[in-house]
C-alpha cells in the first residue's frame, strides 16, 4: 500500500541532504564547504487508526498523518471523513 495520507493526500517527498566538510570560522577554520548533495526520501508521519464515527455508529480504518488526526479532532470525524470521500 502507498505511503499516502487518505485525508490530506500527503505523500513521499524527495530532496537532498548536504554533506559539508571543514572547520567552522568561529572555531578557527576557513569555513564549511559543501562537498556533495546526497538524494534522500522524506516520508510523511503516517498512522494507522481505527476511528469511531458516532453519527454512523461504526468504526472506520484509515491511514492518516498526524496533522490529519489533529484536523479530525478539530472538525469532527464524520465531517473530515466525508470530505475525504471515505464514508
Amino acid at each position: 500500500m502507498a505511503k499516502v495520507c487518505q485525508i490530506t493526500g500527503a505523500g513521499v517527498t524527495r530532496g537532498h541532504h548536504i554533506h559539508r566538510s571543514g572547520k567552522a570560522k568561529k572555531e578557527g577554520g576557513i569555513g564549511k564547504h559543501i562537498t556533495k548533495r546526497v538524494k534522500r526520501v522524506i516520508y510523511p508521519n503516517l498512522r494507522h487508526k481505527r476511528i469511531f464515527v458516532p453519527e454512523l455508529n461504526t468504526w472506520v480504518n484509515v491511514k492518516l498523518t498526524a496533522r490529519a488526526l489533529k484536523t479530525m479532532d478539530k472538525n469532527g470525524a464524520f465531517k473530515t471523513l466525508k470530505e475525504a470521500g471515505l464514508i
Side-chain angles (χ1 to χ4, degrees):
M1 206 170 181
K3 294 181 179 180
V4 177
C5 175
Q6 292 178 315
I7 305 286
T8 62
V12 175
T13 308
R14 300 197 183 276
H16 291 92
H17 177 74
I18 297 174
H19 282 200
R20 292 182 175 90
S21 69
K23 195 172 185 181
K25 285 186 178 180
K26 64 182 177 183
E27 294 175 2
I30 61 165
K32 295 273 197 177
H33 297 289
I34 295 172
T35 57
K36 69 168 89 169
R37 287 173 47 189
V38 180
K39 289 182 181 177
R40 64 167 293 205
V41 179
I42 304 161
Y43 295 105
N45 188 7
L46 286 179
R47 310 268 181 238
H48 293 273
K49 290 287 183 184
R50 187 169 169 250
I51 296 170
F52 183 72
V53 183
E55 289 85 353
L56 302 175
N57 199 27
T58 59
W59 291 89
V60 179
N61 289 318
V62 290
K63 183 165 39 167
L64 45 86
T65 56
R67 176 179 284 182
L69 194 57
K70 288 173 73 174
T71 302
M72 196 173 291
D73 285 341
K74 180 181 176 183
N75 298 335
F78 182 74
K79 182 181 174 191
T80 309
L81 293 170
K82 187 162 181 155
E83 285 176 1
L86 296 173
I87 53 171

